[in-house]
Amino acid sequence: MADLKKFLPKEPMAPIMTENIPEGEEWGYQLKWDGVRILSLIGNGDISLVSRKLLNKTSLYPEVVRSLSGLRDRRLLLDGEVVYFHPDLGRPVFQKVLQRERSRTVSANAPLLTYVLFDILVDGEEDIRSLPYIERHQRLKETVPVQPGLLIADLFGDGDSLWTWAEERSWEGIVIKRLSSPYREGKKHQDWFKKKIAISMEAEAVALILREGRVASLVLAGEDGSYIGRASLGLNERTKRILMEYAGLHSGTGRWTGLPSDLKKETLVWLSPPLTVEVTFLEWSQDGMMRHPKLLAVKGMNNT
């Protein structure tokens, strides 16, 4: 296993945000799976899982280890995403994986997660990172059997059709890959891109951030009560005034025993009860924060 670690990228290859979908025979298209990036090392009968920051995650995802157990006699370095596929919604839900990450334990009733593989870096004694992506993807399909808990990300030839399909079903977006591309670390390339579908959801506004006595942004919590970020975009002067009036009538105490680091120097007014808000944002960060959130509405308040 130690000899495989030398092939681990300091940072896994990552797609670059784009608003356009490149077209042509040199491009392939995949769904963007909304989960946690995990690389798997298989060798000498052992299986290890590491995060994008090379932290050991083996004990946190026992179902992934089980799903890879049939490959114990191989020597492989695989790249993919651990996701929770919601059976009713028909798409991944990142929050379920994030709950596992934050708890750092696996409870008896924890939802089963799926490992979606999209790349192979080492196969046996071969370092295949320099091979074109189309060849690596084909090698991956030939090497890893699809079974419950283990999927290979499909590769499509029509980006516009895949985008339409993902948009209609509220997926996270699509990934666009140059079929001739080698595996390069991080974003030092022009070979992988991602086009995002804005996510809309309800959250709880648990506090106001004040600057010079005026509302600057809302502190938001997710369905599990954890901090998911702050929203200032979408706040107009009328909404800020109504929020200050609400806070004057419904002040509360601190929501969390330890404040998130980016809130420690802020002036906070806690709300009790919290307000339900609708927000839109581009994607979840790996630590469960909304990226570029925008407030759409505050439920139960005339703020438009």
Side-chain angles (χ1 to χ4, degrees):
M1 186 67 71
D3 64 326
L4 270 176
K5 290 182 178 178
K6 68 183 180 183
F7 297 105
L8 278 172
K10 293 180 181 178
E11 183 182 355
M13 189 170 181
I16 301 165
M17 193 82 76
T18 183
E19 288 299 319
N20 303 310
I21 301 177
E23 297 180 352
E25 294 183 356
E26 70 267 36
W27 298 101
Y29 311 90
Q30 294 176 322
L31 287 169
K32 191 171 190 314
W33 293 81
D34 198 4
V36 170
R37 189 77 172 268
I38 291 291
L39 294 106
S40 49
L41 301 90
I42 306 170
N44 300 322
D46 293 325
I47 298 171
S48 293
L49 308 177
V50 298
S51 70
R52 66 167 62 232
K53 295 183 179 179
L54 305 186
L55 301 175
N56 193 306
K57 299 287 184 176
T58 309
S59 62
L60 196 58
Y61 299 114
E63 66 270 67
V64 172
V65 175
R66 288 194 299 270
S67 70
L68 293 170
S69 61
L71 298 168
R72 286 185 184 276
D73 60 341
R74 303 289 299 267
R75 182 176 183 271
L76 301 167
L77 176 53
L78 308 173
D79 194 356
E81 200 93 359
V82 173
V83 306
Y84 171 75
F85 194 84
H86 197 294
D88 297 327
L89 297 178
R91 58 176 170 81
V93 175
F94 177 66
Q95 299 299 87
K96 295 294 184 181
V97 189
L98 182 62
Q99 288 173 13
R100 180 86 64 92
E101 282 282 323
R102 283 178 167 164
S103 66
R104 299 182 183 179
T105 59
V106 185
S107 62
N109 60 349
L112 289 176
L113 305 178
T114 298
Y115 192 27
V116 183
L117 291 162
F118 48 75
D119 216 331
I120 177 170
L121 283 63
V122 174
D123 183 9
E125 297 303 317
E126 284 187 88
D127 174 4
I128 60 174
R129 291 174 294 179
S130 62
L131 291 182
Y133 180 69
I134 186 66
E135 293 185 27
R136 300 199 311 276
H137 187 261
Q138 182 60 35
R139 183 82 69 98
L140 183 64
K141 291 194 295 182
E142 294 170 353
T143 302
V144 179
V146 175
Q147 58 186 24
L150 197 61
L151 293 176
I152 307 297
D154 288 319
L155 191 60
F156 299 92
D158 187 337
D160 288 334
S161 295
L162 186 62
W163 171 259
T164 299
W165 188 96
E167 199 170 29
E168 289 174 348
R169 292 161 178 80
S170 299
W171 278 61
E172 192 189 9
I174 65 172
V175 178
I176 305 130
K177 295 181 178 177
R178 194 185 304 275
L179 298 178
S180 62
S181 65
Y183 192 97
R184 294 189 176 98
E185 295 191 5
K187 296 184 178 182
K188 297 177 181 179
H189 58 79
Q190 289 292 312
D191 295 322
W192 289 14
F193 298 92
K194 60 183 177 182
K195 182 173 169 61
K196 300 284 300 177
I197 295 167
I199 304 168
S200 295
M201 63 171 280
E202 287 189 349
E204 282 192 333
V206 298
L208 308 179
I209 295 177
L210 302 186
R211 301 258 175 87
E212 299 179 352
R214 301 173 69 249
V215 176
S217 56
L218 299 177
V219 177
L220 303 179
E223 62 178 21
D224 63 351
S226 60
Y227 177 57
I228 58 174
R230 57 172 85 186
S232 56
L233 286 176
L235 279 173
N236 56 40
E237 292 305 317
R238 176 178 172 80
T239 303
K240 291 178 180 180
R241 177 175 55 78
I242 294 173
L243 287 169
M244 282 297 289
E245 292 173 357
Y246 181 88
L249 297 171
H250 303 87
S251 62
T253 56
R255 180 68 173 262
W256 302 294
T257 53
L259 275 180
S261 58
D262 68 321
L263 297 180
K264 289 181 178 179
K265 295 183 179 180
E266 300 288 1
T267 300
L268 301 176
V269 176
W270 297 93
L271 304 177
S272 181
L275 288 165
T276 299
V277 300
E278 185 178 355
V279 292
T280 183
F281 56 101
L282 282 182
E283 63 181 342
W284 293 105
S285 69
Q286 289 290 297
D287 56 355
M289 296 293 107
M290 296 181 297
R291 286 188 172 141
H292 309 296
K294 180 180 180 180
L295 180 70
L296 298 179
V298 180
K299 300 298 182 71
M301 294 177 62
N302 182 18
N303 62 298
T304 57

